[in-house]
């Protein structure tokens, strides 16, 4: 049986934000690992590159190709849930929202996750998707084993005990080492989180940042440019009972205000930039304090319907507050008009070769602009601040860094590129983005 395939170079793929497009020579939708391996093998034989895409939530061209585009919508099986071992094995194209529901039905949960559930499991892990956690890291750091289809069509089974060097890199491989076919993730018994969300002045958040991180399992905050206001969120485990938000309050805050009204506000700001500071002062006070207790994945995640472009940098934890204060000062000195809040999260050091938290406790600083807005001046200024603090760009978000810079902030960078040379010497999985960030 062969994978479903279309040819002719007439299908244009676009990412979620609409800032990346690609017209591949052919599109394939394999339904098994054998079909996936065959698709890669045929691409190599035809002298074409091959790239797998997920739901396109990355803002970079990491998945773009003019060769063979591999779509994962037929690779979505949950192969097994082992409560005793604390693992779940899934195929690469399974969306996170389906994984979360299946785990919940089995009385299990991921330890930590980002705030978007629409991504595929492999897409999220391959680019380093993360949430916030004092002690728990990214989705990639929760992988215990994986299957990787390499450039010659071989299938490598990788774990800490088998092909360990590949495992260390391929858990967050940016699509450079092969196509992930399946993943095994660590899980644990389902748990409740109590979320405490409240406004807090920027000065207080930055002064108490270290304590807020240390005292909470999951701490994050949003600063609203052109104001001194932040919204904070503290998530901690709870023995219950569950006390979810009333349906009306949840709809008002998470749908009407955070999506519907915010969409209108962003559109107005794009049309009339001078109105943004005033809008920001109102927006930063629109969401009042609230506390609720619910299933972990329902607290970790939230709907994101307003489309935007994003840049995010990981800086050493101790650099977070200085970098934030510089960012705030830069905005205040400039003529920039920023309608999106700045998001700040944390992660512990991990042992993944090219994780943004590799070898160091990290803080993440993310900036956004409404889709279609001119973002370059803002992002360039932010990037200048972050790189001065040895910042590492999120692999799926906009940045201008190249291999020369990245080799200086990743101690294991050469280890990754050497592995790439071994697994994909002909660059079957190459594209312009990988050429820039990894060299050739």
């Amino acid at each position: 049986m062969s994978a479903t395939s279309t040819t002719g170079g007439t299908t244009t793929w676009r990412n979620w934000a609409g800032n990346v497009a690609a017209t591949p020579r052919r599109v394939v939708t394999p339904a098994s690992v054998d079909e996936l391996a065959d698709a890669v093998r045929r691409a190599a034989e035809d002298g074409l590159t091959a790239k797998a895409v997920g739901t396109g939530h990355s803002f970079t061209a990491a998945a773009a190709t003019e060769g063979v585009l591999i779509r994962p919508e037929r690779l979505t099986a949950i192969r097994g849930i082992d409560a005793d071992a604390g693992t779940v094995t899934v195929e690469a194209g399974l969306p996170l929202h389906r994984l979360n529901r299946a785990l919940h039905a089995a009385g299990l949960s991921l330890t930590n996750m980002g705030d978007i559930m629409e991504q595929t499991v492999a897409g999220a892990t391959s680019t380093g998707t993360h949430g916030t956690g004092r002690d728990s890291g990214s989705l990639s750091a929760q992988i215990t084993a994986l299957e990787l289809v390499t450039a010659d069509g071989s299938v490598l089974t990788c774990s800490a005990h088998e092909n360990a060097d590949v495992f260390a890199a391929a858990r967050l491989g940016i699509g450079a080492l092969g196509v992930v076919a399946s993943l095994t993730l660590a899980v644990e018994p389902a748990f409740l989180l109590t979320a405490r969300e409240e406004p807090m002045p920027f000065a207080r958040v930055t002064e108490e940042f270290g304590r807020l991180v240390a005292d909470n399992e999951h701490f994050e905050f949003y600063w609203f440019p052109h104001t001194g206001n932040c919204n904070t969120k503290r998530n901690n485990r709870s023995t219950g009972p569950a006390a979810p938000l009333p349906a009306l309050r949840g709809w008002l805050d998470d749908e009407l205000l955070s999506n519907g009204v915010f969409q209108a506000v962003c559109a107005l700001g794009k049309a009339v930039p001078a109105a943004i500071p005033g809008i920001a002062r109102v927006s930063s006070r629109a969401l009042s304090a609230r506390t609720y207790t619910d299933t972990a994945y329902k607290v970790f995640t939230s709907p994101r319907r307003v489309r935007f472009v994003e840049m995010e940098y990981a800086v050493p934890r101790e650099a977070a507050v200085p970098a934030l204060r510089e960012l705030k000062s830069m905005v205040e000195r400039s003529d920039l008009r920023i309608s999106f809040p700045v998001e700040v999260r944390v992660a512990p050091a991990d042992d993944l070769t090219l994780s943004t938290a590799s070898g160091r406790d990290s803080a993440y600083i993310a900036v956004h602009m409404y889709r279609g807005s001119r973002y370059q001046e803002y992002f360039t200024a932010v990037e200048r601040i972050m790189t001065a603090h040895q910042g590492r760009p999120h692999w799926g978000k906009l940045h201008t860094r190249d291999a020369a810079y990245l080799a200086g902030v990743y101690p294991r960078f050469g280890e990754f590129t050497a592995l790439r040379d071994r697994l994909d010497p002909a660059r079957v999985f190459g594209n312009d983005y990988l050429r820039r960030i990894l060299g050739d």
Side-chain angles (χ1 to χ4, degrees), residues 29 74 79 98 105 110 139-140 143-144 153 167 171 233 253 270 276 320 322 324 333 382 394 408 423 429 438:
T29 55
R74 298 168 74 203
R79 293 186 183 174
R98 284 179 51 191
L110 295 168
L139 281 172
S140 305
I143 297 172
T144 63
F167 180 65
R171 282 179 288 170
K233 184 173 183 179
D253 287 354
K270 180 182 174 184
I276 288 176
L324 276 166
R333 293 193 315 268
V382 170
H394 189 298
L423 293 179
F429 304 115
L438 299 176

Side-chain angles (χ1 to χ4, degrees), residues 337-360:
R337 296 293 178 261
I338 313 301
S339 57
F340 265 80
V342 174
E343 182 180 22
V344 182
R345 295 175 287 177
V346 297
D350 63 41
D351 63 350
L352 284 70
T353 312
L354 285 191
S355 165
T356 44
S358 182
R360 71 185 191 192

Side-chain angles (χ1 to χ4, degrees), residues 40-107:
V40 171
R41 195 178 299 112
R42 288 174 180 267
E45 290 171 354
D46 294 342
L48 300 174
T49 57
K51 301 297 295 180
V53 298
T55 53
H57 270 270
S58 292
F59 302 92
T60 68
T65 182
E66 295 179 355
V68 178
L69 190 74
I70 301 169
R71 302 199 63 106
E73 51 258 37
R74 298 168 74 203
L75 287 170
T76 58
I78 298 176
R79 293 186 183 174
I81 297 176
D82 188 334
D84 293 334
T87 61
V88 59
T89 300
V90 302
E91 291 182 338
L94 183 72
L96 287 169
H97 61 84
R98 284 179 51 191
L99 173 61
N100 284 331
R101 288 198 296 268
L103 289 175
H104 182 63

